[in-house]
Amino acid sequence: MQLFYNSDIKPTDATFIFDSNESKHIIKVLRKKNGDQLWITNGNGYLFEAKIIGDNLKKCEVELVSSKKTHPKSHWLHIAVAPTKMNDRFEWFLEKATEIGIDEITPIICVRSERKVLKLERMQRVLESAMKQSLQTYLPKLNEPISFSEFLEKPAAELQFIAHCEDTERHELKRRVAADKDVTILIGPEGDFSPEEIKNAMQKGYAPVAMGKTRLRTETAAIVACTIIATINNG
């Protein structure tokens, strides 16, 4: 099964026309023709079965045969993570986190952040590609970058954690998480959160956690967090 994505398609639509780029990909690259079946999602939980009725290179038109709404998960995972110095490592995190199961990502700019400018359009495409590849119908929400201090002022989930590397008391994340609970996790930059940032987060109710016995890179820690949450909720 190959999954296509377009945010504009609605369950009330009888037909839908793809833009020129997507039309060219469907008709010329994939060699689809009239009568062929397509599966499409709008990233909001809907899976559409469609049939090509106009195999035009610039305006591929489909008839919507059926639509099905996928039930959302019983929990919401929001990871606020400092962008890595190398773009490809952050994009790797976005791809794998989408495959594993993440609902929302907020890039946070910390005191020790080495990267403060992001290409959000490119990152959005990474999320869309990973969603299609893993045959999911919900597209993770990617927020605009925000300073760490500003993020702390926003409402958090029922369970909220900060993962850091300071030699202070921390509990294993897997021992603090419960199934069917919304979770917000803070992941710091390569140089870790500053002591002041950790203190401020704890004052806002974020519990300090560890991902294991070893020191992890930013993107690895974020993936481990996703895996732990997914395991507990799918176990």
Side-chain angles (χ1 to χ4, degrees):
M1 175 179 170
Q2 184 173 21
L3 187 62
F4 295 86
Y5 165 71
N6 194 292
S7 62
D8 294 328
I9 192 169
K10 301 182 293 295
T12 54
D13 292 337
T15 60
F16 184 80
I17 298 176
F18 287 97
D19 64 27
S20 58
N21 287 334
E22 194 71 26
S23 295
K24 183 178 180 180
H25 178 71
I26 293 170
I27 304 304
K28 185 173 183 179
V29 178
L30 299 178
R31 298 185 179 181
K32 299 289 185 180
K33 58 186 183 299
N34 284 341
D36 283 351
Q37 181 189 58
L38 296 182
W39 294 96
I40 314 165
T41 183
N42 61 3
N44 291 317
Y46 279 95
L47 178 65
F48 302 93
E49 180 186 359
K51 181 177 68 175
I52 297 177
I53 58 175
D55 54 3
N56 188 293
L57 276 174
K58 294 184 178 180
K59 293 192 302 180
C60 174
E61 185 175 6
V62 297
E63 176 187 4
L64 299 186
V65 177
S66 66
S67 65
K68 180 181 178 181
K69 179 71 180 286
T70 305
H71 291 296
K73 296 181 298 183
S74 59
H75 69 284
W76 184 272
L77 174 58
H78 183 182
I79 292 189
V81 55
T84 56
K85 183 178 180 181
M86 303 299 293
N87 276 323
D88 59 343
R89 284 165 48 194
F90 197 76
E91 290 174 6
W92 176 84
F93 151 68
L94 293 174
E95 177 184 80
K96 301 310 174 188
T98 301
E99 293 177 20
I100 295 167
I102 192 170
D103 302 288
E104 186 172 1
I105 305 114
T106 300
I108 49 174
I109 308 304
C110 305
V111 171
R112 296 171 178 169
S113 290
E114 294 191 63
R115 176 171 293 280
K116 300 181 179 180
V117 178
L118 299 176
K119 298 178 180 178
L120 289 184
E121 287 188 12
R122 178 183 172 93
M123 292 179 177
Q124 189 68 35
R125 290 196 296 270
V126 171
L127 294 176
E128 293 170 6
S129 177
M131 177 192 65
K132 293 188 293 183
Q133 186 276 327
S134 55
L135 301 180
Q136 298 188 64
T137 57
Y138 284 94
L139 180 67
K141 181 182 180 183
L142 177 62
N143 296 319
E144 293 280 344
I146 188 174
S147 72
F148 180 77
S149 59
E150 288 179 299
F151 186 84
L152 290 184
E153 298 303 319
K154 293 184 173 294
E158 184 175 359
L159 300 178
Q160 50 192 78
F161 306 104
I162 178 170
H164 66 79
C165 303
E166 290 284 307
D167 189 19
T168 56
E169 184 179 4
R170 294 170 294 158
H171 295 281
E172 292 285 339
L173 176 63
K174 62 184 178 182
R175 303 191 187 283
R176 299 298 304 272
V177 176
D180 303 327
K181 301 287 187 181
D182 293 345
V183 182
T184 299
I185 302 178
L186 308 177
I187 306 289
E190 282 92 334
D192 200 9
F193 291 113
S194 69
E196 187 70 17
E197 287 173 328
I198 297 171
K199 176 184 175 183
N200 291 340
M202 291 175 63
Q203 289 176 343
K204 290 291 185 178
Y206 285 86
V209 294
M211 302 296 177
K213 303 299 182 183
T214 60
R215 187 182 182 95
L216 304 176
R217 288 181 178 271
T218 295
E219 70 276 17
T220 309
I223 290 299
V224 170
C226 287
T227 304
I228 290 171
I229 302 301
T231 301
I232 289 174
N233 280 278
N234 297 331

